[in-house]
Amino acid sequence: MWNNKPIVLIVLFLGLFAKAVAQKNVETQQLLWTRYYLKLKLNDAYQLKQELEERNFWFPVRQHQFVSRTQLEKKLPEGWNAGLGFTFFLHALPQDPAITEYTTQLELRPQIELAYEQPLTQKIALNHRYWSELRFFEEPNGSFEFNNNRTRYKLELRYSPTHKMTLKAFDEIHINIGGKIIHNAFDQNRYGTSAQYMPTKHLGLELGYLNWFQQRKSGVDFYNRHIVRCTIHHTIDFKKSKNQ
């Protein structure tokens, strides 16, 4: 049965996005993201996910971010999944591709996730992902200081014409929560599309486009990022190996 909560969230972030677009100070950037996405299926209930992603500016070329994300996921009844994980971020600052002499800053993010797959037909499904993360930034003395909580909601439509091919379209909103957040409570909106091809159950490729529209701390300045994302999907099924 359709739940009305996702509809309310969609209306909310589309309204925030429309308000943000009305602002004039928008900097456009082009990026290329390359990702390795590993799933370790431990048993019928648990799997461990590991993502490694290099994010680079394209014009001109230089590093933007490096991301390592680890998450343990548990399958729950009725199409739900819950996850607990940790993300390591390396930021190349400032976020200006024209500046070649840059510094780096580490960010640590413990996170929790709740996801639900809503089948519409045999080949079409809606995926809802609720994500909350705590953000700790590296200080000049090497310590880490808590900055804010960021809560995210992602709605993704998936169509699988064959068991090897999946077409995706999604929209995701990010909301900042915390005493240090003044102007950028609306952090960002991401929407995009991709095609995933899995020639085998264990290995495949995904190519997609992502638009990342982000409000900066000033509240009136924004990034509009056009991103090409390439992903290698790799699955290792330990349960299957043990049964063979």
Side-chain angles (χ1 to χ4, degrees), residues 183-196:
H183 300 296
N184 61 327
F186 164 75
D187 179 61
Q188 60 186 270
N189 185 79
R190 298 181 183 181
Y191 67 86
T193 184
S194 68
Q196 180 179 333

Side-chain angles (χ1 to χ4, degrees), residues 193-242:
T193 184
S194 68
Q196 180 179 333
Y197 178 66
M198 302 290 292
T200 74
K201 293 182 179 180
H202 306 291
L203 195 64
L205 297 172
E206 183 176 357
L207 179 63
Y209 165 78
L210 168 69
N211 181 271
W212 174 359
F213 192 86
Q214 183 175 27
Q215 185 178 33
R216 299 163 71 178
K217 290 183 179 181
S218 64
V220 297
D221 299 305
F222 296 83
Y223 288 118
N224 183 28
R225 295 183 168 121
H226 300 283
I227 301 164
V228 174
R229 191 181 206 182
C230 304
T231 302
I232 297 174
H233 290 272
H234 186 196
T235 300
I236 300 176
D237 193 338
F238 285 100
K239 179 178 180 295
K240 181 178 179 181
S241 300
K242 291 178 181 179

Side-chain angles (χ1 to χ4, degrees), residues 46-63:
Y46 288 93
Q47 69 176 349
L48 185 66
K49 297 180 178 180
Q50 177 63 51
E51 298 180 56
L52 298 173
E53 185 165 60
E54 180 68 25
R55 301 176 175 179
N56 288 287
F57 294 110
W58 251 10
F59 308 108
V61 176
R62 83 158 172 87
Q63 187 182 52

Side-chain angles (χ1 to χ4, degrees), residues 6-238:
I7 297 178
V8 174
L9 290 169
I10 294 168
V11 172
L12 173 63
F13 73 60
L14 287 178
L16 290 170
F17 179 65
K19 181 179 178 181
V21 171
Q23 304 295 333
K24 297 183 183 295
N25 302 328
V26 178
E27 181 179 348
T28 300
Q29 298 174 341
Q30 292 80 33
L31 295 97
L32 173 65
W33 291 4
T34 52
R35 178 175 62 153
Y36 173 69
Y37 190 8
L38 175 65
K39 293 181 181 179
L40 302 176
K41 294 185 177 295
L42 306 178
N43 52 44
D44 289 335
Y46 288 93
Q47 69 176 349
L48 185 66
K49 297 180 178 180
Q50 177 63 51
E51 298 180 56
L52 298 173
E53 185 165 60
E54 180 68 25
R55 301 176 175 179
N56 288 287
F57 294 110
W58 251 10
F59 308 108
V61 176
R62 83 158 172 87
Q63 187 182 52
H64 178 223
Q65 295 171 332
F66 172 77
V67 185
S68 174
R69 178 176 289 120
T70 306
Q71 181 159 296
L72 180 64
E73 182 179 275
K74 182 180 180 180
K75 184 180 294 185
L76 303 176
E78 300 182 1
W80 287 90
N81 292 302
L84 182 65
F86 189 84
T87 299
F88 169 91
F89 255 85
L90 179 66
H91 299 275
L93 302 174
Q95 299 184 45
D96 183 349
I99 298 177
T100 57
E101 297 295 328
Y102 58 88
T103 61
T104 58
Q105 182 184 35
L106 298 180
E107 180 190 350
L108 306 179
R109 297 183 190 174
Q111 75 235 3
I112 57 173
E113 177 190 50
L114 190 63
Y116 172 61
E117 182 176 3
Q118 179 184 3
L120 301 181
T121 69
Q122 282 189 330
K123 297 184 177 182
I124 301 175
L126 278 175
N127 286 71
H128 308 271
R129 187 180 77 177
Y130 307 88
W131 186 300
S132 186
E133 54 196 9
L134 302 178
R135 307 184 69 184
F136 296 84
F137 288 91
E138 183 184 23
E139 297 298 304
N141 63 4
S143 64
F144 286 85
E145 182 176 336
F146 173 71
N147 189 75
N148 68 287
N149 167 267
R150 188 167 68 179
T151 297
R152 305 159 57 168
Y153 169 68
K154 180 180 180 181
L155 178 66
E156 183 173 83
L157 179 66
R158 297 182 181 178
Y159 169 57
S160 301
T162 71
H163 69 280
K164 294 184 178 182
M165 174 69 72
T166 303
L167 305 178
K168 306 175 185 179
F170 67 89
D171 202 338
E172 182 178 24
I173 187 173
H174 300 58
I175 300 296
N176 284 324
I177 303 170
K180 296 182 179 180
I181 304 302
I182 300 175
H183 300 296
N184 61 327
F186 164 75
D187 179 61
Q188 60 186 270
N189 185 79
R190 298 181 183 181
Y191 67 86
T193 184
S194 68
Q196 180 179 333
Y197 178 66
M198 302 290 292
T200 74
K201 293 182 179 180
H202 306 291
L203 195 64
L205 297 172
E206 183 176 357
L207 179 63
Y209 165 78
L210 168 69
N211 181 271
W212 174 359
F213 192 86
Q214 183 175 27
Q215 185 178 33
R216 299 163 71 178
K217 290 183 179 181
S218 64
V220 297
D221 299 305
F222 296 83
Y223 288 118
N224 183 28
R225 295 183 168 121
H226 300 283
I227 301 164
V228 174
R229 191 181 206 182
C230 304
T231 302
I232 297 174
H233 290 272
H234 186 196
T235 300
I236 300 176
D237 193 338
F238 285 100

